[in-house]
């Protein structure tokens, strides 16, 4: 599962060495936050390119850097900066691309109640924080790539602060049947069922054995225990990406018989492996 990873990354970043890689974030609110530091370290590769090759590289490089089309058309060479690792890079991708021996590194992941996780993804899909980057002058550049869903594109499925349990049940059912375009560590994937894409992506994070498995429901307690085992100083984990839900209802109120059965079936491996229950 990919849950609460940003919060734990920020908390652990102060313990990383000068040669370690920190992927950072492309969410503007996290980059420009005054409450915490979400650093990027040793994760940028520079290519000097021109013309269509440069334009193609820029389109695939995420939000680290941009050059105006006019510069490309003029045929000038430009420095294209791109991340070595995607901010949500899959573990197997990290192991295959990382040049250093990381056999003595501790591998950490976070798990979460599957039904609650789907509700969180439901809200996040419509209220994703703005992506972009800060250039060397500190100027904010936002990402204009249209992916996923929005309140205007799918009003029949988008949750709002005016919804009650009855309408949220109906909207979650519609949401689980939607298809759209998504972009993750494997690049852009078109016309994907939202639930299948999310589950398939999350499964990639659980194809290896982990040294520490933290539960989102007891995240701070589990984090403190892990820090003690690793002999690291403890700190308070910041609450990142926690403002998307506009209605504070228990996750159980979002489900009808059909959606609960759907999640039971598609996430049965995690439900059984980690002992979660719909209660």
């Amino acid at each position: 599962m990919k849950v609460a990873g940003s919060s734990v990354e920020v908390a652990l970043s102060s313990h990383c060495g000068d040669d370690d890689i920190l992927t950072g974030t492309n969410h503007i609110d996290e980059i420009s936050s005054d409450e915490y530091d979400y650093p990027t370290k040793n994760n940028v590769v520079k290519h000097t390119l021109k013309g269509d090759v440069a334009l193609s590289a820029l389109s695939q490089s995420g939000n680290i850097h941009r050059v105006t089309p006019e510069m490309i058309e003029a045929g000038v060479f430009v420095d294209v900066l791109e991340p070595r690792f995607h901010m949500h890079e899959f573990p197997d991708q990290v192991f295959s691309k990382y040049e250093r021996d990381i056999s003595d590194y501790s591998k950490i992941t976070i798990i979460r109640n599957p039904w609650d996780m789907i509700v969180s993804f439901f809200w996040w899909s419509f209220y994703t924080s703005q992506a972009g980057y800060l250039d060397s002058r500190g100027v904010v550049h936002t990402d204009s790539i249209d992916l996923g869903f929005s309140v205007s594109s799918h009003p029949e499925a988008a949750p709002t602060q005016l919804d009650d349990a009855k309408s949220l049940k109906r909207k979650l059912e519609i949401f689980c049947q939607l298809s759209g375009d998504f972009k993750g560590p494997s690049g852009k994937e078109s016309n994907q069922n939202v639930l299948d894409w999310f589950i398939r992506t999350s499964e990639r994070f659980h194809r290896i054995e982990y040294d520490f498995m933290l539960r989102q429901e007891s995240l701070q307690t589990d984090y403190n225990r892990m820090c003690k085992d690793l002999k690291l100083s403890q700190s308070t984990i910041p609450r990142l990406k926690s403002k998307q839900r506009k209605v504070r209802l228990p996750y159980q109120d979002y489900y009808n018989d059909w959606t609960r059965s759907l999640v039971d079936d598609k996430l049965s491996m995690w439900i059984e492996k980690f002992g979660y229950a719909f209660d």
Side-chain angles (χ1 to χ4, degrees), residues 13-268:
S13 62
S14 62
H15 300 291
C16 294
D18 293 337
D19 295 328
D20 289 326
I21 292 177
L22 302 176
T23 61
T25 178
N26 69 348
H27 294 285
I28 293 298
D29 57 343
E30 295 175 346
I31 295 172
S32 57
S33 174
D34 293 328
E35 300 177 14
Y36 53 83
D37 184 24
Y38 200 152
T40 298
K41 184 187 294 184
N42 302 323
N43 195 42
V44 176
V45 179
K46 183 173 72 172
H47 306 284
T48 302
L49 306 168
K50 77 170 185 177
D52 292 340
V53 176
L55 189 59
S56 176
L58 285 168
S59 68
Q60 298 296 322
S61 65
N63 302 290
I64 300 297
H65 189 68
R66 291 177 187 271
V67 175
T68 66
E70 290 77 15
M71 293 175 66
I72 299 295
E73 292 170 4
V76 298
F77 282 92
V78 296
D79 289 336
V80 178
L81 306 181
E82 61 180 348
R84 298 173 62 192
F85 297 96
H86 187 279
M87 60 183 291
H88 294 155
E89 195 90 356
F90 296 127
D92 59 285
Q93 292 176 321
V94 173
F95 297 151
S96 65
K97 292 164 60 176
Y98 201 25
E99 301 88 354
R100 294 175 59 184
D101 179 12
I102 56 176
S103 59
D104 62 341
Y105 276 50
S106 295
K107 295 177 286 294
I108 305 162
T109 193
I110 304 103
I111 60 174
R112 184 176 189 174
N113 179 299
W115 298 279
D116 192 29
M117 179 178 68
I118 296 301
V119 169
S120 180
F121 181 57
F122 174 43
W123 281 98
W124 175 258
S125 296
F126 292 97
Y127 299 99
T128 305
S129 59
Q130 180 66 60
Y133 74 101
L134 293 176
D135 66 19
S136 58
R137 298 167 296 168
V139 177
V140 175
H141 299 261
T142 57
D143 185 358
S144 59
I145 298 176
D146 185 19
L147 297 171
F149 310 112
S150 68
V151 175
S152 58
S153 69
H154 293 81
E156 77 283 1
T160 73
Q161 60 185 4
L162 301 178
D163 282 312
D164 57 16
K166 181 179 179 180
S167 60
L168 288 169
K169 281 183 172 70
R170 183 182 70 254
K171 289 184 174 182
L172 182 62
E173 180 174 344
I174 296 171
F175 173 72
C176 288
Q177 300 174 72
L178 292 178
S179 293
D181 299 340
F182 302 93
K183 189 174 183 180
S186 298
K188 183 178 178 180
E189 299 179 71
S190 301
N191 196 31
Q192 302 291 308
N193 170 265
V194 58
L195 197 57
D196 288 342
W197 178 87
F198 180 70
I199 292 172
R200 185 174 68 251
T201 300
S202 297
E203 285 176 342
R204 289 283 296 273
F205 290 97
H206 260 274
R207 294 181 180 177
I208 67 169
E209 295 297 321
Y210 289 94
D211 300 294
F212 295 95
M213 194 171 293
L214 317 181
R215 289 183 181 259
Q216 194 271 346
E217 297 80 14
S218 55
L219 187 57
Q220 186 66 60
T221 299
D222 290 355
Y223 176 78
N224 290 345
R225 185 180 301 114
M226 179 191 71
C227 287
K228 183 177 180 180
D229 289 344
L230 293 174
K231 295 180 172 54
L232 301 175
S233 59
Q234 299 176 10
S235 60
T236 301
I237 300 173
R239 288 180 53 82
L240 277 64
K241 301 182 178 73
S242 61
K243 299 179 180 179
Q244 275 66 38
R245 289 197 197 188
K246 314 298 180 185
V247 177
R248 295 298 172 183
L249 288 174
Y251 70 82
Q252 295 93 334
D253 289 355
Y254 287 77
Y255 287 89
N256 58 29
D257 291 342
W258 184 81
T259 51
R260 179 178 174 184
S261 177
L262 182 69
V263 174
D264 286 354
D265 178 59
K266 290 184 176 293
L267 290 166
S268 60

